[in-house]
Amino acid sequence: MKLKKRILGKDLEVSAIGLGCMGMSHAYGPPSDEKKMGELLAAAVDMGYTFFDTAEVYGTPEDPHHNEKLLGKALKPFRNHIKIASKCGIRFDESSEKVNKPLIPDGRPERVKASAEGSLRRLKTDHIDLYYIHRVDPDIPIEETAGAMADLIRDGKITHWGISEADEETIRRAHRVCPLTAVQNRYSMMYRSYESLFDLLEELSIGFVAFSPLANGFLTGKYGKGSRFEDGSDYRSIMPQFSKEGMEKNRELISRIGELAEEKDATPAQISLAWMLAKRPWIVPIPGTRKYQRLAENEGAARISLTEEEVKAIDHMLDEVPMSQVFGGTGTAKEKGGK
């Protein structure tokens, strides 16, 4: 059975669950084997995934554009049947010694357009289906960035645009210049602050793409106190939910999700994704993985139905159960102390 479809914005049809590809190249240890990832991406297409997410900065210091190049090669045979999303507007502060280096935003129109040209080459395509400004640049009016996106749409280089980690005022201002198709923000059972935007997105017919929908994999329930992550290249080594204290504090949460999964003959990850899909018909999670088993498991979440009452009960549980802080994203060098 092929994955169900959802519509982002006015008309961008994508699989109800997308594939976040960042982890194949960045943030979860050294990049994976290119051949194996190519096979995984082909398997995803065969399962019905039609929505693949990348960005120009997903790579390593040695190969900063690794992920786009990987997708460009692996997905070229399927290009007419899939949608590719990429992002521009940030670079890493390489002078920092932090594991997750601060981001330096750059929303200048000339930078947006130059980045699009580079992404088109690396992705081996003549258009990008959804192109995001990866972070809002506080020094550039969002109207100028939106104007550059409008130019790219007019020229046929992108067909839709989106924005990531933006507040309501910024979304409204951007949307007035060039209608947004999607907002991509962090969202999971452990990070729900952006639910405050849902009424706005409904009003403006903007889709919501949820990244880190499993709290960086923590909500799979597969991790314990003995879990180890590579220092320096695996962000999980510094994420609070994976710390010894975090594991202990989140024990009841993981147990409760496990109970829900048993009731539905599902896995904890599937319950987490099904809960999100049941919230709004225009929410599309993009969990990432390097493993076929996890790819198939995530795909199965789209076939699990939760009633409105079940979703409310889960929300109530999430309001009451103790949980640790969760990784909130990489801060920008222009924000004091980052996020």
Side-chain angles (χ1 to χ4, degrees):
M1 183 184 293
K2 293 292 185 180
L3 261 167
K4 297 175 182 177
K5 298 291 196 299
R6 291 197 159 191
I7 302 293
L8 294 173
K10 300 291 187 184
D11 60 1
L12 183 61
E13 186 181 76
V14 298
S15 49
I17 294 173
L19 180 59
C21 300
M22 178 189 78
M24 297 176 182
S25 306
H26 176 82
Y28 291 89
S32 288
D33 179 77
E34 184 178 317
K35 183 175 184 292
K36 288 182 178 178
M37 291 304 97
E39 292 170 352
L40 187 73
L41 288 162
V45 174
D46 191 54
M47 283 182 201
Y49 285 86
T50 65
F51 189 37
F52 297 84
D53 184 271
T54 183
E56 67 174 344
V57 295
Y58 294 162
T60 66
E62 298 75 30
D63 189 0
H65 306 303
H66 182 277
N67 203 241
E68 284 189 330
K69 290 189 283 187
L70 171 68
L71 266 62
K73 181 178 180 180
L75 293 177
K76 189 173 183 181
F78 316 107
R79 185 64 185 98
N80 293 335
H81 311 291
I82 62 170
K83 303 295 192 300
I84 295 176
S86 192
K87 311 177 198 74
C88 66
I90 57 170
R91 60 185 174 85
F92 290 102
D93 180 0
E94 294 296 344
S95 67
S96 171
E97 295 182 358
K98 292 182 177 180
V99 176
N100 57 325
K101 300 181 187 302
L103 304 171
I104 300 173
D106 189 346
R108 293 173 298 156
E110 59 269 29
R111 185 66 252 162
V112 169
K113 293 178 180 180
S115 291
E117 296 291 351
S119 291
L120 287 167
R121 287 193 301 272
R122 291 185 291 270
L123 291 167
K124 300 183 185 299
T125 185
D126 62 355
H127 73 281
I128 298 168
D129 301 287
L130 179 55
Y131 198 48
Y132 298 96
I133 186 71
H134 209 152
R135 291 291 185 277
V136 175
D137 186 341
D139 293 341
I140 303 295
I142 194 62
E143 289 83 358
E144 293 186 20
T145 303
M149 294 293 190
D151 290 344
L152 289 169
I153 291 173
R154 184 196 63 218
D155 295 341
K157 294 177 179 178
I158 68 175
T159 58
H160 305 79
W161 86 288
I163 195 167
S164 188
E165 306 265 339
D167 60 21
E168 178 173 344
E169 180 193 0
T170 304
I171 291 169
R172 286 191 183 278
R173 287 168 54 198
H175 191 72
R176 279 195 289 267
V177 175
C178 183
L180 286 156
T181 290
V183 167
Q184 183 179 136
N185 286 348
R186 183 178 301 274
Y187 183 46
S188 72
M189 285 185 170
M190 296 184 75
Y191 199 98
R192 295 185 290 151
S193 59
Y194 287 119
E195 288 183 350
S196 62
L197 293 176
F198 285 0
D199 288 346
L200 169 70
L201 301 182
E202 185 87 54
E203 173 196 337
L204 299 179
S205 297
I206 299 172
F208 186 88
V209 176
F211 75 89
S212 296
L214 299 174
N216 305 96
F218 185 79
L219 292 171
T220 61
K222 300 295 185 183
Y223 297 93
K225 292 179 181 177
S227 299
R228 294 288 178 268
F229 307 103
E230 184 168 321
D231 292 334
S233 63
D234 193 324
Y235 285 17
R236 288 171 295 185
S237 65
I238 58 161
M239 291 180 182
Q241 68 266 39
F242 290 101
S243 69
K244 182 179 178 181
E245 299 77 19
M247 294 277 191
E248 182 62 31
K249 193 165 188 178
N250 295 321
R251 189 167 56 176
E252 183 182 349
L253 170 67
I254 294 300
S255 176
R256 296 284 290 276
I257 297 172
E259 291 169 6
L260 290 167
E262 283 189 25
E263 291 173 11
K264 289 287 185 178
D265 193 23
T267 67
Q270 289 174 333
I271 290 297
S272 291
L273 296 173
W275 163 81
M276 191 174 293
L277 291 170
K279 286 276 188 173
R280 296 288 195 281
W282 36 260
I283 293 177
V284 177
I286 51 168
T289 188
R290 299 182 180 194
K291 299 177 180 177
Y292 180 89
Q293 177 186 350
R294 192 72 68 210
L295 188 73
E297 179 183 356
N298 294 341
E299 180 270 335
R303 293 193 292 277
I304 296 169
S305 296
L306 296 175
T307 66
E308 188 176 341
E309 290 72 26
E310 286 172 326
V311 171
K312 286 180 179 177
I314 291 172
D315 286 348
H316 179 71
M317 180 271 287
L318 295 174
D319 287 336
E320 299 295 326
V321 74
M323 64 177 76
S324 74
Q325 291 293 309
V326 66
F327 182 63
T330 303
T332 66
K334 292 183 181 180
E335 295 173 344
K336 292 180 180 178
K339 288 192 176 179

